[in-house]
Amino acid sequence: MKLKIYLKKISLGFITLLLINCQDPILYDLIIKNGLVYDGTQNPPQTLDIAIIADKIVGLGDFSEADAIKILDAAGKAIAPGFIDTHTH
């Protein structure tokens, strides 16, 4: 009896993994790669990728395996996404 329950749990876990891996990959509108990202928290900057869909930042991290309509390489450049207003008086 316990073996049947155990096998059902393993089967359910296996099916779940298959369904997760069958999802279509996300196509981003823009990925900015390798930029030195200043996030506005006064933490040291980090070299990260930024993923964008419909003019909104949807992720920070490693998007080296992701697909995008446009990919920009920002190596050696500073990026401050979404918090700097250069139009000050």
Side-chain angles (χ1 to χ4, degrees):
M1 185 67 166
K2 288 184 179 182
L3 181 61
K4 285 184 179 181
I5 293 172
Y6 181 71
L7 289 175
K8 284 183 182 179
K9 287 183 180 181
I10 289 176
S11 297
L12 182 61
F14 183 70
I15 290 170
T16 302
L17 286 174
L18 282 176
L19 290 175
I20 289 171
N21 288 330
C22 290
Q23 294 177 354
D24 290 332
I26 296 173
L27 177 64
Y28 298 99
D29 292 333
L30 172 65
I31 295 177
I32 303 171
K33 294 188 158 293
N34 306 315
L36 190 59
V37 176
Y38 290 83
D39 64 6
T41 62
Q42 297 182 348
N43 289 328
Q46 299 179 51
T47 300
L48 298 170
D49 301 337
I50 301 172
I52 298 171
I53 296 176
D55 297 330
K56 292 187 180 181
I57 297 171
V58 295
L60 294 171
D62 180 11
F63 289 90
S64 58
E65 300 296 321
D67 291 323
I69 295 170
K70 186 171 186 177
I71 297 175
L72 298 176
D73 187 9
K77 296 181 175 52
I79 302 173
F83 75 90
I84 292 181
D85 180 9
T86 59
H87 187 265
T88 59
H89 298 287

